[in-house]
Amino acid sequence: YENHETLYLSFIKVLAKIIGVRFIKDFEYTIYRAKLSVQEKHRLKFVTQSIEKVLIEIEDRRFKSHKGVDLKSLVRSILSQSKIYRQKKGLLRSGGSTITMQLCRTLFIPSNQRPITRKIIEILLAFWLERQFLKSEIISFYLTSVRFEKSVNGIIKATRFFFPDK
């Protein structure tokens, strides 16, 4: 096994293959690139504490307290798929993914795969990722990796894209 590869991750890869979810080829290289992006953010002295707080409030309020998966959000997400439930509670359709799950999808799972099987693998990967990295590292990886707009990944590129004069 390489640095972050574990028996648990091997199990997830086998399960993903069985249920038909594809992964990127090299987890270690992807993690290495995510770490490099965070280092670049630090090198540029790009301060993100306030953005992190806003992001956590919007995307995943219980980010600091869960272990990668928020069961309450997942249940709400499942219930919100029902139009009757949404109308009764006055809710919008919600996804239920935590920041960690979104990061797993962004880094390791190519797009355009069946949502339900992909979500199962995201959940399992989120538990793995939470054991590999600190919450502060996960939020940093997220900010430097997640897609903010088509072809605009990471907070540095997003800032330049949305605020070109600054």
Side-chain angles (χ1 to χ4, degrees):
Y1 291 116
E2 293 188 34
N3 242 5
H4 298 94
E5 298 221 2
T6 63
L7 184 60
Y8 180 72
L9 181 59
S10 295
F11 165 76
I12 296 170
K13 286 179 178 181
V14 168
L15 180 63
K17 195 170 197 167
I18 291 169
I19 64 175
V21 175
R22 292 176 286 112
F23 282 129
I24 50 100
K25 289 189 191 292
D26 192 345
F27 271 61
E28 284 300 319
Y29 180 72
T30 301
I31 292 169
Y32 167 75
R33 295 295 303 174
K35 288 180 179 181
L36 274 180
S37 294
V38 171
Q39 290 304 314
E40 179 69 1
K41 179 181 75 114
H42 292 308
R43 186 186 72 75
L44 294 172
K45 295 178 175 47
F46 203 89
V47 180
T48 59
Q49 283 85 6
S50 57
I51 296 169
E52 289 173 17
K53 288 177 186 174
V54 170
L55 181 71
I56 289 169
E57 186 64 28
I58 292 170
E59 292 288 331
D60 185 3
R61 285 191 185 134
R62 290 184 287 277
F63 173 71
K64 298 203 178 193
S65 62
H66 63 63
K67 302 280 188 230
V69 176
D70 185 349
L71 294 177
K72 188 175 180 180
S73 292
L74 279 176
V75 169
R76 185 185 66 243
S77 168
I78 292 166
L79 292 173
S80 79
Q81 300 307 307
S82 162
K83 187 175 181 180
I84 295 168
Y85 180 81
R86 283 195 315 271
Q87 288 174 339
K88 181 179 175 185
K89 296 288 186 177
L91 299 173
L92 298 172
R93 186 176 256 166
S94 99
S97 289
T98 63
I99 286 173
T100 308
M101 290 168 65
Q102 291 175 39
L103 179 63
C104 289
R105 180 175 56 243
T106 299
L107 293 180
F108 307 119
I109 303 173
S111 59
N112 299 331
Q113 298 192 57
R114 293 178 305 185
I116 293 174
T117 53
R118 186 198 72 225
K119 185 71 78 178
I120 291 166
I121 298 302
E122 279 177 33
I123 290 168
L124 296 172
L125 277 176
F127 289 128
W128 168 79
L129 198 68
E130 289 272 342
R131 278 182 260 172
Q132 298 298 310
F133 299 101
L134 301 171
K135 292 282 188 178
S136 60
E137 292 173 304
I138 290 170
I139 196 73
S140 289
F141 292 158
Y142 183 90
L143 278 171
T144 59
S145 303
V146 76
R147 189 179 101 191
F148 286 90
E149 179 67 42
K150 186 176 181 179
S151 301
V152 180
N153 287 43
I155 191 69
I156 295 169
K157 285 183 183 177
T159 302
R160 290 178 183 153
F161 179 81
F162 292 112
F163 308 104
D165 297 335
K166 298 204 178 202

